[in-house]
Amino acid sequence: MAKTQVFLKWVVAILVIALVGGARAVPVCNIDTKQLDPCKPAVTGNSPPRPSKECCKVVSKADLPCLCSYKNVLPAVGINPKHALALPKKCGLKTPPQCIVH
């Protein structure tokens, strides 16, 4: 259990670095983190625009339950978790249970 938690912390750290532009693309949840760049406008700020077609294309290829498991680190990189977890629905995809905001 402790080894799994350490591994997950390293994965999260790599994801955070990649999302803020400090690293090359890192494969996470079936996509490279740099592929998420078109989604940034749709998940930041108080009233973000709808996700672009390019963003939705990336979201449709991702392992959504896996991506949603990172919801707790999103604020650290300036991403609003509520907006990020709404992406599947806004892109016309089925929202996994892990992505539902309670």
Side-chain angles (χ1 to χ4, degrees):
M1 181 86 163
K3 288 182 181 182
T4 301
Q5 289 177 338
V6 170
F7 174 74
L8 286 176
K9 286 179 182 180
W10 276 106
V11 169
V12 169
I14 290 168
L15 179 64
V16 168
I17 291 168
L19 286 173
V20 295
R24 288 190 261 158
V26 176
V28 175
C29 304
N30 294 339
I31 56 171
D32 287 335
T33 53
K34 288 292 185 186
Q35 290 177 294
L36 291 170
D37 286 347
C39 296
K40 284 184 183 178
V43 296
T44 56
N46 292 327
S47 299
R50 293 196 59 76
S52 67
K53 288 182 182 181
E54 189 177 349
C55 170
C56 289
K57 185 177 177 181
V58 173
V59 171
S60 72
K61 293 178 182 178
D63 176 346
L64 293 177
C66 174
L67 275 182
C68 292
S69 70
Y70 292 100
K71 62 187 170 194
N72 293 330
V73 298
L74 297 177
V77 292
I79 295 174
N80 183 317
K82 182 179 175 184
H83 299 314
L85 297 175
L87 279 180
K89 183 177 181 181
K90 288 182 177 181
C91 289
L93 303 169
K94 184 177 178 186
T95 303
Q98 297 89 329
C99 299
I100 296 173
V101 179
H102 299 285

